[in-house]
Short mmCIF file of all heavy atoms in Angstrom, two decimals:
data_model
loop_
_atom_site.label_atom_id
_atom_site.label_comp_id
_atom_site.label_asym_id
_atom_site.label_seq_id
_atom_site.Cartn_x
_atom_site.Cartn_y
_atom_site.Cartn_z
N GLU A 166 -20.49 -9.81 3.89
CA GLU A 166 -20.01 -8.80 4.81
C GLU A 166 -18.89 -8.03 4.16
O GLU A 166 -18.00 -8.55 3.56
CB GLU A 166 -19.44 -9.44 6.16
CG GLU A 166 -20.46 -10.18 6.93
CD GLU A 166 -19.81 -10.80 8.14
OE1 GLU A 166 -18.92 -11.74 7.92
OE2 GLU A 166 -20.11 -10.46 9.31
N ALA A 167 -18.95 -6.70 4.32
CA ALA A 167 -17.95 -5.84 3.74
C ALA A 167 -16.94 -5.43 4.92
O ALA A 167 -17.19 -4.42 5.60
CB ALA A 167 -18.52 -4.61 3.07
N LEU A 168 -15.92 -6.19 5.12
CA LEU A 168 -15.11 -6.04 6.30
C LEU A 168 -13.89 -5.20 6.06
O LEU A 168 -13.30 -4.64 6.96
CB LEU A 168 -14.70 -7.40 6.86
CG LEU A 168 -15.79 -8.30 7.28
CD1 LEU A 168 -15.24 -9.67 7.69
CD2 LEU A 168 -16.64 -7.67 8.37
N SER A 169 -13.45 -5.18 4.74
CA SER A 169 -12.25 -4.40 4.49
C SER A 169 -12.65 -2.84 4.30
O SER A 169 -13.73 -2.56 4.20
CB SER A 169 -11.56 -4.92 3.22
OG SER A 169 -12.24 -4.43 2.10
N CYS A 170 -11.52 -2.13 4.38
CA CYS A 170 -11.78 -0.59 4.16
C CYS A 170 -12.01 -0.36 2.66
O CYS A 170 -11.26 -1.03 1.87
CB CYS A 170 -10.55 0.19 4.62
SG CYS A 170 -10.34 0.17 6.40
N PRO A 171 -12.92 0.53 2.26
CA PRO A 171 -13.09 0.78 0.87
C PRO A 171 -11.81 1.49 0.40
O PRO A 171 -11.14 2.19 1.12
CB PRO A 171 -14.27 1.76 0.88
CG PRO A 171 -14.94 1.50 2.18
CD PRO A 171 -13.97 1.15 3.18
N VAL A 172 -11.54 1.20 -0.87
CA VAL A 172 -10.28 1.78 -1.52
C VAL A 172 -10.82 2.39 -2.80
O VAL A 172 -11.44 1.76 -3.55
CB VAL A 172 -9.20 0.71 -1.80
CG1 VAL A 172 -8.03 1.31 -2.65
CG2 VAL A 172 -8.68 0.19 -0.44
N VAL A 173 -10.43 3.67 -3.00
CA VAL A 173 -10.91 4.41 -4.18
C VAL A 173 -9.70 4.54 -5.17
O VAL A 173 -8.62 5.12 -4.72
CB VAL A 173 -11.43 5.77 -3.82
CG1 VAL A 173 -11.86 6.53 -5.07
CG2 VAL A 173 -12.56 5.59 -2.86
N SER A 174 -9.85 4.12 -6.43
CA SER A 174 -8.78 4.20 -7.38
C SER A 174 -9.37 4.07 -8.77
O SER A 174 -10.27 3.29 -8.97
CB SER A 174 -7.72 3.08 -7.14
OG SER A 174 -6.70 3.23 -8.08
N ASP A 175 -8.88 4.90 -9.74
CA ASP A 175 -9.33 4.74 -11.13
C ASP A 175 -10.77 4.85 -11.39
O ASP A 175 -11.28 4.16 -12.21
CB ASP A 175 -8.65 3.54 -11.67
CG ASP A 175 -7.16 3.51 -11.68
OD1 ASP A 175 -6.56 3.08 -10.72
OD2 ASP A 175 -6.58 3.90 -12.76
N GLY A 176 -11.46 5.61 -10.49
CA GLY A 176 -12.89 5.71 -10.70
C GLY A 176 -13.74 4.62 -10.05
O GLY A 176 -14.94 4.51 -10.31
N PHE A 177 -13.09 3.78 -9.34
CA PHE A 177 -13.78 2.60 -8.70
C PHE A 177 -13.54 2.68 -7.16
O PHE A 177 -12.64 3.24 -6.66
CB PHE A 177 -13.17 1.26 -9.14
CG PHE A 177 -13.63 0.86 -10.58
CD1 PHE A 177 -12.91 1.40 -11.66
CD2 PHE A 177 -14.54 -0.06 -10.79
CE1 PHE A 177 -13.29 1.07 -12.94
CE2 PHE A 177 -14.92 -0.46 -12.13
CZ PHE A 177 -14.28 0.21 -13.18
N VAL A 178 -14.61 2.10 -6.52
CA VAL A 178 -14.45 1.78 -5.06
C VAL A 178 -14.33 0.36 -4.98
O VAL A 178 -15.21 -0.44 -5.35
CB VAL A 178 -15.76 2.31 -4.25
CG1 VAL A 178 -15.57 1.90 -2.82
CG2 VAL A 178 -15.96 3.79 -4.46
N LEU A 179 -13.20 -0.14 -4.33
CA LEU A 179 -12.89 -1.59 -4.26
C LEU A 179 -13.27 -2.03 -2.84
O LEU A 179 -12.90 -1.41 -1.85
CB LEU A 179 -11.43 -1.82 -4.51
CG LEU A 179 -10.91 -1.30 -5.86
CD1 LEU A 179 -9.35 -1.64 -5.99
CD2 LEU A 179 -11.68 -1.99 -7.03
N ILE A 180 -13.93 -3.21 -2.74
CA ILE A 180 -14.37 -3.73 -1.45
C ILE A 180 -14.08 -5.20 -1.51
O ILE A 180 -14.51 -5.97 -2.37
CB ILE A 180 -15.89 -3.57 -1.19
CG1 ILE A 180 -16.30 -2.06 -1.31
CG2 ILE A 180 -16.32 -4.25 0.11
CD1 ILE A 180 -15.84 -1.29 -0.08
N HIS A 181 -13.39 -5.67 -0.40
CA HIS A 181 -13.10 -7.14 -0.34
C HIS A 181 -14.04 -7.69 0.82
O HIS A 181 -13.90 -7.28 1.92
CB HIS A 181 -11.62 -7.24 0.13
CG HIS A 181 -11.08 -8.60 0.05
ND1 HIS A 181 -9.82 -9.00 0.58
CD2 HIS A 181 -11.52 -9.79 -0.41
CE1 HIS A 181 -9.58 -10.32 0.38
NE2 HIS A 181 -10.63 -10.80 -0.26
N THR A 182 -14.92 -8.60 0.32
CA THR A 182 -15.88 -9.12 1.30
C THR A 182 -15.47 -10.49 1.86
O THR A 182 -14.61 -11.15 1.38
CB THR A 182 -17.25 -9.20 0.46
OG1 THR A 182 -17.06 -9.97 -0.67
CG2 THR A 182 -17.78 -7.83 0.20
N SER A 183 -16.25 -10.85 2.87
CA SER A 183 -15.86 -12.12 3.66
C SER A 183 -16.02 -13.34 2.95
O SER A 183 -15.57 -14.37 3.35
CB SER A 183 -16.70 -12.10 4.96
OG SER A 183 -18.09 -12.21 4.71
N ASN A 184 -16.68 -13.32 1.76
CA ASN A 184 -16.85 -14.57 1.00
C ASN A 184 -15.68 -14.71 0.01
O ASN A 184 -15.77 -15.56 -0.89
CB ASN A 184 -18.22 -14.58 0.25
CG ASN A 184 -18.41 -13.53 -0.72
OD1 ASN A 184 -17.56 -12.58 -0.81
ND2 ASN A 184 -19.48 -13.51 -1.52
N GLY A 185 -14.72 -13.85 0.10
CA GLY A 185 -13.50 -14.03 -0.75
C GLY A 185 -13.58 -13.27 -2.04
O GLY A 185 -12.73 -13.38 -2.91
N ALA A 186 -14.62 -12.41 -2.30
CA ALA A 186 -14.82 -11.71 -3.50
C ALA A 186 -14.28 -10.27 -3.41
O ALA A 186 -14.40 -9.54 -2.32
CB ALA A 186 -16.30 -11.64 -3.86
N LEU A 187 -13.71 -9.82 -4.49
CA LEU A 187 -13.27 -8.37 -4.61
C LEU A 187 -14.33 -7.68 -5.53
O LEU A 187 -14.55 -8.14 -6.62
CB LEU A 187 -11.92 -8.30 -5.19
CG LEU A 187 -11.34 -6.88 -5.27
CD1 LEU A 187 -11.16 -6.23 -3.99
CD2 LEU A 187 -10.01 -6.90 -6.09
N HIS A 188 -14.96 -6.65 -5.07
CA HIS A 188 -15.99 -5.97 -5.78
C HIS A 188 -15.44 -4.61 -6.28
O HIS A 188 -14.81 -3.90 -5.58
CB HIS A 188 -17.21 -5.70 -4.93
CG HIS A 188 -17.82 -6.94 -4.33
ND1 HIS A 188 -18.94 -7.58 -4.89
CD2 HIS A 188 -17.42 -7.73 -3.36
CE1 HIS A 188 -19.27 -8.65 -4.20
NE2 HIS A 188 -18.35 -8.73 -3.24
N GLY A 189 -15.76 -4.28 -7.57
CA GLY A 189 -15.44 -3.02 -8.06
C GLY A 189 -16.71 -2.21 -8.35
O GLY A 189 -17.59 -2.57 -9.22
N LEU A 190 -16.93 -1.13 -7.59
CA LEU A 190 -18.14 -0.28 -7.63
C LEU A 190 -17.80 1.02 -8.37
O LEU A 190 -16.71 1.61 -8.17
CB LEU A 190 -18.70 0.02 -6.29
CG LEU A 190 -18.87 -1.11 -5.30
CD1 LEU A 190 -19.46 -0.58 -4.01
CD2 LEU A 190 -19.73 -2.19 -5.90
N ASP A 191 -18.73 1.55 -9.12
CA ASP A 191 -18.57 2.89 -9.79
C ASP A 191 -18.39 3.89 -8.71
O ASP A 191 -19.33 4.04 -7.82
CB ASP A 191 -19.76 3.19 -10.74
CG ASP A 191 -19.54 4.44 -11.46
OD1 ASP A 191 -19.76 5.49 -10.97
OD2 ASP A 191 -19.11 4.39 -12.67
N GLN A 192 -17.41 4.71 -8.74
CA GLN A 192 -17.19 5.73 -7.64
C GLN A 192 -18.35 6.73 -7.60
O GLN A 192 -18.65 7.21 -6.49
CB GLN A 192 -15.86 6.39 -7.93
CG GLN A 192 -15.50 7.44 -6.85
CD GLN A 192 -14.20 8.07 -7.06
OE1 GLN A 192 -13.45 7.72 -7.96
NE2 GLN A 192 -13.82 9.12 -6.33
N ASN A 193 -18.91 7.04 -8.71
CA ASN A 193 -19.91 8.10 -8.74
C ASN A 193 -21.32 7.61 -8.41
O ASN A 193 -22.14 8.38 -7.83
CB ASN A 193 -19.97 8.79 -10.14
CG ASN A 193 -18.61 9.50 -10.41
OD1 ASN A 193 -18.08 10.18 -9.54
ND2 ASN A 193 -18.17 9.37 -11.64
N THR A 194 -21.63 6.37 -8.74
CA THR A 194 -23.00 5.89 -8.61
C THR A 194 -23.13 4.70 -7.61
O THR A 194 -24.24 4.43 -7.20
CB THR A 194 -23.53 5.39 -10.00
OG1 THR A 194 -22.80 4.24 -10.42
CG2 THR A 194 -23.43 6.44 -11.01
N GLY A 195 -22.03 4.10 -7.32
CA GLY A 195 -22.13 2.88 -6.48
C GLY A 195 -22.50 1.59 -7.20
O GLY A 195 -22.56 0.59 -6.54
N LYS A 196 -22.85 1.73 -8.51
CA LYS A 196 -23.23 0.55 -9.28
C LYS A 196 -22.08 -0.48 -9.31
O LYS A 196 -20.95 -0.11 -9.63
CB LYS A 196 -23.67 0.94 -10.68
CG LYS A 196 -24.13 -0.28 -11.47
CD LYS A 196 -24.52 0.24 -12.90
CE LYS A 196 -25.02 -0.98 -13.72
NZ LYS A 196 -25.42 -0.55 -15.05
#
Side-chain angles (χ1 to χ4, degrees):
E166 294 176 300
L168 300 178
S169 76
C170 293
V172 173
V173 180
S174 181
D175 296 86
F177 286 80
V178 178
L179 305 178
I180 302 288
H181 191 188
T182 52
S183 63
N184 62 352
L187 183 65
H188 301 260
L190 312 181
D191 184 279
Q192 182 180 352
N193 297 318
T194 65
K196 181 179 179 181

